[in-house]
PDB file of all heavy atoms in Angstrom:
ATOM      1  N   ALA P 823     -11.527  -7.648 -10.275  1.00  0.00           N
ATOM      2  CA  ALA P 823     -12.711  -8.202  -9.662  1.00  0.00           C
ATOM      3  C   ALA P 823     -13.951  -7.801 -10.418  1.00  0.00           C
ATOM      4  O   ALA P 823     -14.894  -8.589 -10.599  1.00  0.00           O
ATOM      5  CB  ALA P 823     -12.843  -7.784  -8.192  1.00  0.00           C
ATOM      6  N   LEU P 824     -13.991  -6.546 -10.897  1.00  0.00           N
ATOM      7  CA  LEU P 824     -15.129  -6.113 -11.716  1.00  0.00           C
ATOM      8  C   LEU P 824     -15.232  -6.928 -13.008  1.00  0.00           C
ATOM      9  O   LEU P 824     -16.324  -7.335 -13.382  1.00  0.00           O
ATOM     10  CB  LEU P 824     -14.974  -4.630 -12.080  1.00  0.00           C
ATOM     11  CG  LEU P 824     -15.413  -3.600 -11.057  1.00  0.00           C
ATOM     12  CD1 LEU P 824     -15.231  -2.198 -11.655  1.00  0.00           C
ATOM     13  CD2 LEU P 824     -16.891  -3.789 -10.676  1.00  0.00           C
ATOM     14  N   ARG P 825     -14.110  -7.155 -13.660  1.00  0.00           N
ATOM     15  CA  ARG P 825     -14.134  -7.925 -14.907  1.00  0.00           C
ATOM     16  C   ARG P 825     -14.626  -9.329 -14.622  1.00  0.00           C
ATOM     17  O   ARG P 825     -15.319  -9.944 -15.481  1.00  0.00           O
ATOM     18  CB  ARG P 825     -12.746  -7.951 -15.545  1.00  0.00           C
ATOM     19  CG  ARG P 825     -12.344  -6.630 -16.140  1.00  0.00           C
ATOM     20  CD  ARG P 825     -11.082  -6.781 -16.984  1.00  0.00           C
ATOM     21  NE  ARG P 825      -9.912  -7.115 -16.187  1.00  0.00           N
ATOM     22  CZ  ARG P 825      -9.098  -6.213 -15.613  1.00  0.00           C
ATOM     23  NH1 ARG P 825      -9.363  -4.905 -15.765  1.00  0.00           N
ATOM     24  NH2 ARG P 825      -8.063  -6.583 -14.902  1.00  0.00           N
ATOM     25  N   ALA P 826     -14.337  -9.865 -13.459  1.00  0.00           N
ATOM     26  CA  ALA P 826     -14.808 -11.212 -13.104  1.00  0.00           C
ATOM     27  C   ALA P 826     -16.215 -11.174 -12.504  1.00  0.00           C
ATOM     28  O   ALA P 826     -16.740 -12.241 -12.101  1.00  0.00           O
ATOM     29  CB  ALA P 826     -13.838 -11.816 -12.077  1.00  0.00           C
ATOM     30  N   ARG P 827     -16.800  -9.991 -12.430  1.00  0.00           N
ATOM     31  CA  ARG P 827     -18.168  -9.808 -11.861  1.00  0.00           C
ATOM     32  C   ARG P 827     -18.225 -10.225 -10.403  1.00  0.00           C
ATOM     33  O   ARG P 827     -19.274 -10.643  -9.928  1.00  0.00           O
ATOM     34  CB  ARG P 827     -19.218 -10.547 -12.692  1.00  0.00           C
ATOM     35  CG  ARG P 827     -19.309 -10.009 -14.133  1.00  0.00           C
ATOM     36  CD  ARG P 827     -20.454 -10.606 -14.870  1.00  0.00           C
ATOM     37  NE  ARG P 827     -20.508 -10.100 -16.233  1.00  0.00           N
ATOM     38  CZ  ARG P 827     -21.477 -10.390 -17.111  1.00  0.00           C
ATOM     39  NH1 ARG P 827     -22.439 -11.256 -16.764  1.00  0.00           N
ATOM     40  NH2 ARG P 827     -21.470  -9.852 -18.329  1.00  0.00           N
ATOM     41  N   ASP P 828     -17.124 -10.132  -9.734  1.00  0.00           N
ATOM     42  CA  ASP P 828     -17.078 -10.377  -8.284  1.00  0.00           C
ATOM     43  C   ASP P 828     -17.239  -9.007  -7.602  1.00  0.00           C
ATOM     44  O   ASP P 828     -16.267  -8.394  -7.150  1.00  0.00           O
ATOM     45  CB  ASP P 828     -15.734 -11.027  -7.922  1.00  0.00           C
ATOM     46  CG  ASP P 828     -15.639 -11.361  -6.426  1.00  0.00           C
ATOM     47  OD1 ASP P 828     -16.612 -11.053  -5.679  1.00  0.00           O
ATOM     48  OD2 ASP P 828     -14.598 -11.891  -5.990  1.00  0.00           O
ATOM     49  N   TYR P 829     -18.480  -8.584  -7.491  1.00  0.00           N
ATOM     50  CA  TYR P 829     -18.746  -7.205  -7.076  1.00  0.00           C
ATOM     51  C   TYR P 829     -18.442  -6.986  -5.570  1.00  0.00           C
ATOM     52  O   TYR P 829     -18.030  -5.897  -5.206  1.00  0.00           O
ATOM     53  CB  TYR P 829     -20.184  -6.819  -7.412  1.00  0.00           C
ATOM     54  CG  TYR P 829     -20.486  -6.911  -8.870  1.00  0.00           C
ATOM     55  CD1 TYR P 829     -21.577  -7.661  -9.338  1.00  0.00           C
ATOM     56  CD2 TYR P 829     -19.679  -6.263  -9.805  1.00  0.00           C
ATOM     57  CE1 TYR P 829     -21.822  -7.736 -10.717  1.00  0.00           C
ATOM     58  CE2 TYR P 829     -19.932  -6.357 -11.177  1.00  0.00           C
ATOM     59  CZ  TYR P 829     -21.021  -7.089 -11.621  1.00  0.00           C
ATOM     60  OH  TYR P 829     -21.257  -7.189 -12.963  1.00  0.00           O
ATOM     61  N   ASP P 830     -18.661  -8.008  -4.773  1.00  0.00           N
ATOM     62  CA  ASP P 830     -18.333  -7.847  -3.336  1.00  0.00           C
ATOM     63  C   ASP P 830     -16.883  -7.548  -3.162  1.00  0.00           C
ATOM     64  O   ASP P 830     -16.474  -6.646  -2.416  1.00  0.00           O
ATOM     65  CB  ASP P 830     -18.731  -9.087  -2.580  1.00  0.00           C
ATOM     66  CG  ASP P 830     -20.233  -9.246  -2.421  1.00  0.00           C
ATOM     67  OD1 ASP P 830     -20.936  -8.212  -2.484  1.00  0.00           O
ATOM     68  OD2 ASP P 830     -20.711 -10.377  -2.239  1.00  0.00           O
ATOM     69  N   SER P 831     -16.005  -8.334  -3.843  1.00  0.00           N
ATOM     70  CA  SER P 831     -14.577  -8.102  -3.754  1.00  0.00           C
ATOM     71  C   SER P 831     -14.165  -6.768  -4.349  1.00  0.00           C
ATOM     72  O   SER P 831     -13.337  -6.019  -3.784  1.00  0.00           O
ATOM     73  CB  SER P 831     -13.797  -9.235  -4.449  1.00  0.00           C
ATOM     74  OG  SER P 831     -14.042 -10.470  -3.789  1.00  0.00           O
ATOM     75  N   ALA P 832     -14.780  -6.417  -5.491  1.00  0.00           N
ATOM     76  CA  ALA P 832     -14.458  -5.129  -6.119  1.00  0.00           C
ATOM     77  C   ALA P 832     -14.801  -3.990  -5.196  1.00  0.00           C
ATOM     78  O   ALA P 832     -13.999  -3.054  -5.047  1.00  0.00           O
ATOM     79  CB  ALA P 832     -15.259  -4.993  -7.446  1.00  0.00           C
ATOM     80  N   ALA P 833     -15.958  -4.060  -4.537  1.00  0.00           N
ATOM     81  CA  ALA P 833     -16.330  -2.995  -3.613  1.00  0.00           C
ATOM     82  C   ALA P 833     -15.365  -2.895  -2.460  1.00  0.00           C
ATOM     83  O   ALA P 833     -14.968  -1.785  -2.043  1.00  0.00           O
ATOM     84  CB  ALA P 833     -17.737  -3.239  -3.085  1.00  0.00           C
ATOM     85  N   ALA P 834     -14.921  -4.031  -1.934  1.00  0.00           N
ATOM     86  CA  ALA P 834     -13.943  -4.039  -0.832  1.00  0.00           C
ATOM     87  C   ALA P 834     -12.645  -3.395  -1.281  1.00  0.00           C
ATOM     88  O   ALA P 834     -12.053  -2.620  -0.543  1.00  0.00           O
ATOM     89  CB  ALA P 834     -13.727  -5.475  -0.344  1.00  0.00           C
ATOM     90  N   PHE P 835     -12.193  -3.722  -2.486  1.00  0.00           N
ATOM     91  CA  PHE P 835     -10.947  -3.127  -2.983  1.00  0.00           C
ATOM     92  C   PHE P 835     -11.101  -1.600  -3.210  1.00  0.00           C
ATOM     93  O   PHE P 835     -10.203  -0.832  -2.889  1.00  0.00           O
ATOM     94  CB  PHE P 835     -10.498  -3.825  -4.281  1.00  0.00           C
ATOM     95  CG  PHE P 835      -9.912  -5.193  -4.072  1.00  0.00           C
ATOM     96  CD1 PHE P 835     -10.405  -6.273  -4.773  1.00  0.00           C
ATOM     97  CD2 PHE P 835      -8.852  -5.364  -3.199  1.00  0.00           C
ATOM     98  CE1 PHE P 835      -9.863  -7.563  -4.599  1.00  0.00           C
ATOM     99  CE2 PHE P 835      -8.288  -6.642  -3.005  1.00  0.00           C
ATOM    100  CZ  PHE P 835      -8.813  -7.731  -3.726  1.00  0.00           C
ATOM    101  N   PHE P 836     -12.244  -1.210  -3.744  1.00  0.00           N
ATOM    102  CA  PHE P 836     -12.460   0.211  -3.971  1.00  0.00           C
ATOM    103  C   PHE P 836     -12.497   0.978  -2.626  1.00  0.00           C
ATOM    104  O   PHE P 836     -12.020   2.091  -2.508  1.00  0.00           O
ATOM    105  CB  PHE P 836     -13.772   0.450  -4.724  1.00  0.00           C
ATOM    106  CG  PHE P 836     -13.644   0.282  -6.220  1.00  0.00           C
ATOM    107  CD1 PHE P 836     -14.515  -0.586  -6.905  1.00  0.00           C
ATOM    108  CD2 PHE P 836     -12.638   0.919  -6.938  1.00  0.00           C
ATOM    109  CE1 PHE P 836     -14.409  -0.730  -8.283  1.00  0.00           C
ATOM    110  CE2 PHE P 836     -12.489   0.764  -8.327  1.00  0.00           C
ATOM    111  CZ  PHE P 836     -13.380  -0.057  -8.977  1.00  0.00           C
ATOM    112  N   ARG P 837     -13.116   0.356  -1.599  1.00  0.00           N
ATOM    113  CA  ARG P 837     -13.136   1.001  -0.269  1.00  0.00           C
ATOM    114  C   ARG P 837     -11.708   1.176   0.254  1.00  0.00           C
ATOM    115  O   ARG P 837     -11.361   2.228   0.872  1.00  0.00           O
ATOM    116  CB  ARG P 837     -14.003   0.211   0.693  1.00  0.00           C
ATOM    117  CG  ARG P 837     -15.507   0.319   0.432  1.00  0.00           C
ATOM    118  CD  ARG P 837     -16.300  -0.249   1.596  1.00  0.00           C
ATOM    119  NE  ARG P 837     -16.097  -1.652   1.808  1.00  0.00           N
ATOM    120  CZ  ARG P 837     -16.855  -2.597   1.259  1.00  0.00           C
ATOM    121  NH1 ARG P 837     -17.832  -2.282   0.455  1.00  0.00           N
ATOM    122  NH2 ARG P 837     -16.623  -3.897   1.527  1.00  0.00           N
ATOM    123  N   GLU P 838     -10.869   0.142   0.018  1.00  0.00           N
ATOM    124  CA  GLU P 838      -9.491   0.271   0.424  1.00  0.00           C
ATOM    125  C   GLU P 838      -8.775   1.369  -0.339  1.00  0.00           C
ATOM    126  O   GLU P 838      -7.965   2.120   0.215  1.00  0.00           O
ATOM    127  CB  GLU P 838      -8.792  -1.074   0.196  1.00  0.00           C
ATOM    128  CG  GLU P 838      -7.368  -1.123   0.765  1.00  0.00           C
ATOM    129  CD  GLU P 838      -6.748  -2.524   0.611  1.00  0.00           C
ATOM    130  OE1 GLU P 838      -7.494  -3.506   0.348  1.00  0.00           O
ATOM    131  OE2 GLU P 838      -5.508  -2.592   0.731  1.00  0.00           O
ATOM    132  N   ALA P 839      -9.109   1.502  -1.634  1.00  0.00           N
ATOM    133  CA  ALA P 839      -8.498   2.557  -2.461  1.00  0.00           C
ATOM    134  C   ALA P 839      -8.960   3.926  -1.963  1.00  0.00           C
ATOM    135  O   ALA P 839      -8.162   4.876  -1.993  1.00  0.00           O
ATOM    136  CB  ALA P 839      -8.880   2.361  -3.914  1.00  0.00           C
ATOM    137  N   VAL P 840     -10.198   4.057  -1.540  1.00  0.00           N
ATOM    138  CA  VAL P 840     -10.694   5.324  -0.982  1.00  0.00           C
ATOM    139  C   VAL P 840      -9.923   5.698   0.247  1.00  0.00           C
ATOM    140  O   VAL P 840      -9.531   6.889   0.447  1.00  0.00           O
ATOM    141  CB  VAL P 840     -12.203   5.211  -0.675  1.00  0.00           C
ATOM    142  CG1 VAL P 840     -12.661   6.355   0.234  1.00  0.00           C
ATOM    143  CG2 VAL P 840     -13.028   5.222  -1.951  1.00  0.00           C
ATOM    144  N   ARG P 841      -9.601   4.716   1.091  1.00  0.00           N
ATOM    145  CA  ARG P 841      -8.827   5.010   2.274  1.00  0.00           C
ATOM    146  C   ARG P 841      -7.405   5.480   1.917  1.00  0.00           C
ATOM    147  O   ARG P 841      -6.836   6.322   2.581  1.00  0.00           O
ATOM    148  CB  ARG P 841      -8.781   3.790   3.234  1.00  0.00           C
ATOM    149  CG  ARG P 841     -10.147   3.502   3.885  1.00  0.00           C
ATOM    150  CD  ARG P 841      -9.949   2.459   4.971  1.00  0.00           C
ATOM    151  NE  ARG P 841      -9.652   1.116   4.460  1.00  0.00           N
ATOM    152  CZ  ARG P 841     -10.546   0.234   4.066  1.00  0.00           C
ATOM    153  NH1 ARG P 841     -11.864   0.537   4.181  1.00  0.00           N
ATOM    154  NH2 ARG P 841     -10.192  -0.963   3.617  1.00  0.00           N
ATOM    155  N   ALA P 842      -6.879   4.900   0.838  1.00  0.00           N
ATOM    156  CA  ALA P 842      -5.518   5.253   0.438  1.00  0.00           C
ATOM    157  C   ALA P 842      -5.498   6.622  -0.274  1.00  0.00           C
ATOM    158  O   ALA P 842      -4.490   7.363  -0.175  1.00  0.00           O
ATOM    159  CB  ALA P 842      -4.957   4.188  -0.537  1.00  0.00           C
ATOM    160  N   ALA P 843      -6.563   6.959  -1.014  1.00  0.00           N
ATOM    161  CA  ALA P 843      -6.592   8.220  -1.767  1.00  0.00           C
ATOM    162  C   ALA P 843      -7.974   8.839  -1.574  1.00  0.00           C
ATOM    163  O   ALA P 843      -8.817   8.817  -2.490  1.00  0.00           O
ATOM    164  CB  ALA P 843      -6.287   7.954  -3.219  1.00  0.00           C
ATOM    165  N   PRO P 844      -8.262   9.413  -0.396  1.00  0.00           N
ATOM    166  CA  PRO P 844      -9.648   9.876  -0.091  1.00  0.00           C
ATOM    167  C   PRO P 844     -10.115  11.058  -0.947  1.00  0.00           C
ATOM    168  O   PRO P 844     -11.296  11.334  -0.971  1.00  0.00           O
ATOM    169  CB  PRO P 844      -9.547  10.272   1.386  1.00  0.00           C
ATOM    170  CG  PRO P 844      -8.100  10.506   1.624  1.00  0.00           C
ATOM    171  CD  PRO P 844      -7.340   9.583   0.728  1.00  0.00           C
ATOM    172  N   ASP P 845      -9.179  11.735  -1.636  1.00  0.00           N
ATOM    173  CA  ASP P 845      -9.591  12.910  -2.395  1.00  0.00           C
ATOM    174  C   ASP P 845      -9.743  12.656  -3.889  1.00  0.00           C
ATOM    175  O   ASP P 845      -9.804  13.599  -4.675  1.00  0.00           O
ATOM    176  CB  ASP P 845      -8.562  14.055  -2.175  1.00  0.00           C
ATOM    177  CG  ASP P 845      -8.511  14.529  -0.734  1.00  0.00           C
ATOM    178  OD1 ASP P 845      -9.569  14.485  -0.094  1.00  0.00           O
ATOM    179  OD2 ASP P 845      -7.418  14.926  -0.269  1.00  0.00           O
ATOM    180  N   ARG P 846      -9.841  11.414  -4.254  1.00  0.00           N
ATOM    181  CA  ARG P 846      -9.963  11.064  -5.682  1.00  0.00           C
ATOM    182  C   ARG P 846     -11.451  10.773  -5.987  1.00  0.00           C
ATOM    183  O   ARG P 846     -11.988   9.735  -5.619  1.00  0.00           O
ATOM    184  CB  ARG P 846      -9.113   9.864  -6.008  1.00  0.00           C
ATOM    185  CG  ARG P 846      -7.622  10.054  -5.781  1.00  0.00           C
ATOM    186  CD  ARG P 846      -6.855  10.177  -7.098  1.00  0.00           C
ATOM    187  NE  ARG P 846      -6.851   8.938  -7.815  1.00  0.00           N
ATOM    188  CZ  ARG P 846      -5.942   7.977  -7.617  1.00  0.00           C
ATOM    189  NH1 ARG P 846      -5.002   8.101  -6.690  1.00  0.00           N
ATOM    190  NH2 ARG P 846      -5.969   6.879  -8.362  1.00  0.00           N
ATOM    191  N   ALA P 847     -12.078  11.720  -6.665  1.00  0.00           N
ATOM    192  CA  ALA P 847     -13.511  11.560  -7.023  1.00  0.00           C
ATOM    193  C   ALA P 847     -13.742  10.342  -7.876  1.00  0.00           C
ATOM    194  O   ALA P 847     -14.795   9.652  -7.782  1.00  0.00           O
ATOM    195  CB  ALA P 847     -14.046  12.803  -7.671  1.00  0.00           C
ATOM    196  N   ALA P 848     -12.807  10.038  -8.771  1.00  0.00           N
ATOM    197  CA  ALA P 848     -13.024   8.896  -9.711  1.00  0.00           C
ATOM    198  C   ALA P 848     -13.177   7.586  -8.973  1.00  0.00           C
ATOM    199  O   ALA P 848     -13.958   6.735  -9.391  1.00  0.00           O
ATOM    200  CB  ALA P 848     -11.834   8.843 -10.682  1.00  0.00           C
ATOM    201  N   ILE P 849     -12.439   7.421  -7.888  1.00  0.00           N
ATOM    202  CA  ILE P 849     -12.527   6.147  -7.136  1.00  0.00           C
ATOM    203  C   ILE P 849     -13.909   6.067  -6.493  1.00  0.00           C
ATOM    204  O   ILE P 849     -14.556   5.013  -6.477  1.00  0.00           O
ATOM    205  CB  ILE P 849     -11.423   6.078  -6.045  1.00  0.00           C
ATOM    206  CG1 ILE P 849     -10.048   6.129  -6.721  1.00  0.00           C
ATOM    207  CG2 ILE P 849     -11.573   4.781  -5.223  1.00  0.00           C
ATOM    208  CD1 ILE P 849      -8.903   6.130  -5.718  1.00  0.00           C
TER     209      ILE P 849
END
């Protein structure tokens, strides 16, 4: 989504990734 500049979708996916791995600073 980032490569496609679809930032709303990218942010939603990153939030989902945070929920899956809450201790990953890189995410």
